[in-house]
Amino acid sequence: MNSAEKQLAILLEFGKVINKTKSLDDVLESMANFARDILQADRCSIFIYDKNKDELWSKVAHEVHPIRITAKRGLAGYAALSKETQIVVDAYNDYRFNREVDKATGYLTHTILSVPLLDNQENTIGVFQALNKKQGIFTNVDAELLLLISNYAASAIENAILYDKLRDTQTKIINKLASAAEFKDQETSKHTKRVGLYSALLAEKYGLSQEDIAKIELAAPMHDAGKIGIADKILLKPDKLSKNEFEMMKTHTQLGHDLLFDEENEYLKAAALIALEHHEKWDGTGYPHGKKGEEISIFGRIVAIADVFDALISVRPYKEPWSFEKAHTLLNENSGTHFDPALIALFNENIEKIRTIYQELKD
Ligand code: C2E
Ligand code: SIN
Ligand code: SIN
Ligand code: SIN
Ligand code: FE
Ligand code: FE
């Protein structure tokens, strides 16, 4: 292939790769493989630049374990800091070369081509490096080809970083919402965390997908978010609630649902469903809708158990904490009436794991 043909091949190849695969690791790995073939190199690595530590860590490296290296030395470091392509024809006679890397990996480097990965603002986000051209040395045409491939790698990395930030922000906002209800109530953040963890455990044992397990762990802590809409004189009442007060209290389910629901966001949708359903009962005597059996989503059925169990062993304005054993007994007494009996069976089978969560996150 001549250089123009190679460039066309690159364009076509990445059209396919980017459409087909989703994970950043997969995309970068196929870029590294492709670069190795096109450049006739022995190995290719893609490093991500960590600005805070001034380090490069290898995201993809053929036949080498992931490594972290300083960006202050070595060819990859040079490419990162100068933002310019570096070509080396004889590594051990080049002052820029960092021999420590070969020492650590047991590899013998002869020729190197290092290309910086730049984001939209021309900031370095990593380095794409090819080692040991099979015949001869890396040429300027090779450098141009690797630069072209690198543009794709850089935008794939940039998208992944943006996506991570977005997810991180989402998680933080969701956790803050959960604690908004804690401020008003006497519930602690440990309570909401425990409810998340018991729920995730039950979800796993029930056989839900990894995605649903992650969803319930994040969403279950928000089950009482609607309590921020309940007056303090009810919420913090040290005695039993009157009939009217309890009717008001029951609205925290619908309030929470309406507060959390978002058509576009799977986590918030799950959280809204859980807020709505966590006081429904298996026999249809719960609230707000009196749903029965599997009319209640598996998320709602799971969190009902986790919430009552944890409410019992926690202190409340209106009650002292119960012992672990007494709370466990109450769940079993209400299996098939309040709670889904299949889930109570799973709870019993995994009682030691439940106890571990309880002990590690004691109030
Ligand atoms: P919560 O304190 O988070 O309690 C959640 C659920 O745990 C309760 O839902 C109930 O099913 C169970 N639970 C909690 N403590 C006990 C208990 O001492 N005995 C038994 N058998 N079950 C218990 P429920 O009943 O629908 O209550 C919803 C929320 O209403 C409670 O959330 C709490 O904020 C409030 N609430 C319920 N009863 C009273 C009360 O007598 N006084 C006050 N001040 N608030 C209450
Ligand atoms: C370097 O960047 O100098 C190290 C090259 C290698 O990865 O062996
Ligand atoms: C959900 O409602 O999102 C959980 C799935 C189920 O109810 O089985
Ligand atoms: C308690 O023992 O503290 C209350 C018993 C109950 O409500 O079932
Ligand atoms: Fe509740
Ligand atoms: Fe709760």
Side-chain angles (χ1 to χ4, degrees):
M1 275 195 281
N2 66 33
S3 161
E5 283 169 348
K6 282 181 178 170
Q7 296 205 25
L8 189 60
I10 291 171
L11 289 171
L12 294 175
E13 177 71 15
F14 290 137
K16 272 190 286 173
V17 168
I18 287 169
N19 287 336
K20 214 170 46 198
T21 55
K22 256 200 196 148
S23 108
L24 177 66
D25 288 0
D26 290 349
V27 172
L28 294 183
E29 193 181 329
S30 53
M31 286 183 183
N33 292 343
F34 189 67
R36 180 173 56 184
D37 296 345
I38 286 275
L39 300 175
Q40 293 288 300
D42 183 50
R43 291 181 174 185
C44 280
S45 334
I46 298 176
F47 296 93
I48 307 283
Y49 180 53
D50 179 341
K51 200 168 71 182
N52 296 326
K53 293 191 174 150
D54 206 15
E55 283 178 344
L56 292 161
W57 48 277
S58 60
K59 189 81 182 155
V60 183
H62 288 135
E63 288 141 61
V64 189
H65 291 297
I67 49 170
R68 269 193 106 91
I69 54 178
T70 172
K72 293 188 176 72
R73 291 163 59 198
L75 267 300
Y78 255 90
L81 298 185
S82 68
K83 302 180 186 177
E84 281 169 7
T85 298
Q86 307 290 326
I87 298 180
V88 171
V89 297
D90 180 5
Y92 282 82
N93 279 314
D94 193 309
Y95 73 95
R96 295 169 297 178
F97 179 63
N98 178 6
R99 298 169 187 219
E100 298 303 317
V101 179
D102 271 6
K103 252 190 221 156
T105 59
Y107 190 68
L108 189 58
T109 305
H110 302 293
T111 58
I112 307 175
L113 173 59
S114 282
V115 170
L117 298 172
L118 303 177
D119 70 10
N120 270 331
Q121 279 88 48
E122 302 276 305
N123 299 309
T124 301
I125 56 176
V127 174
F128 205 138
Q129 183 163 270
L131 296 181
N132 290 358
K133 189 164 171 91
K134 291 202 173 123
Q135 283 175 350
I137 57 174
F138 291 110
T139 63
N140 286 330
V141 172
D142 290 336
E144 267 175 47
L145 292 170
L146 191 57
L147 212 49
L148 185 62
I149 298 173
S150 294
N151 286 336
Y152 286 96
S155 59
I157 292 169
E158 224 184 339
N159 284 342
I161 291 172
L162 270 178
Y163 183 71
D164 272 356
K165 268 194 195 144
L166 208 63
R167 201 168 33 193
D168 182 55
T169 309
Q170 249 180 32
T171 308
K172 285 193 174 126
I173 291 174
I174 285 175
N175 287 331
K176 281 186 191 308
L177 254 179
S179 49
E182 288 159 15
F183 277 126
K184 284 205 70 182
D185 205 344
Q186 301 294 297
E187 301 196 16
T188 64
S189 76
K190 283 184 182 162
H191 163 68
T192 55
K193 268 199 204 99
R194 283 189 307 251
V195 171
L197 292 173
Y198 299 140
S199 297
L201 177 66
L202 287 175
E204 185 201 330
K205 299 303 173 187
Y206 191 78
L208 296 191
S209 67
Q210 283 304 317
E211 203 186 327
D212 277 347
I213 296 168
K215 239 186 246 176
I216 199 170
E217 183 174 342
L218 194 63
M222 286 181 285
H223 62 275
D224 274 338
K227 281 184 179 172
I228 58 177
I230 303 297
D232 283 356
K233 79 175 202 340
I234 297 176
L235 202 58
L236 303 180
K237 185 174 177 175
D239 307 309
K240 218 170 155 36
L241 299 178
S242 72
K243 180 130 188 13
N244 272 343
E245 286 168 335
F246 195 60
E247 288 307 311
M248 291 294 292
M249 177 58 85
K250 284 178 177 178
T251 65
H252 81 278
T253 51
Q254 188 71 48
L255 284 174
H257 171 272
D258 297 351
L259 176 73
L260 295 168
F261 186 80
D262 186 297
E263 185 59 53
E264 306 290 313
N265 185 303
E266 291 306 311
Y267 285 95
L268 289 175
K269 257 193 191 166
L273 185 65
I274 288 167
L276 185 67
E277 293 185 339
H278 73 283
H279 290 295
E280 297 289 1
K281 294 185 180 176
W282 183 253
D283 63 7
T285 62
Y287 61 89
H289 294 307
K291 288 183 189 172
K292 197 173 173 172
E294 290 183 359
E295 285 168 22
I296 311 162
S297 75
I298 185 66
F299 286 0
R301 274 140 52 205
I302 288 174
V303 176
I305 294 171
D307 179 39
V308 169
F309 180 70
D310 210 74
L312 291 174
I313 62 178
S314 302
V315 61
R316 286 285 189 271
Y318 63 96
K319 62 171 269 293
E320 291 295 312
W322 291 22
S323 71
F324 186 94
E325 283 68 27
K326 194 175 168 193
H328 184 197
T329 302
L330 179 132
L331 293 189
N332 279 286
E333 285 167 358
N334 292 282
S335 176
T337 50
H338 189 159
F339 306 115
D340 177 350
L343 288 171
I344 294 296
L346 290 176
F347 192 96
N348 294 340
E349 279 168 34
N350 293 281
I351 193 66
E352 288 315 314
K353 292 201 171 79
I354 301 274
R355 195 190 301 275
T356 303
I357 296 170
Y358 163 72
Q359 275 162 352
E360 281 175 4
L361 275 170
K362 248 184 179 157
D363 286 315

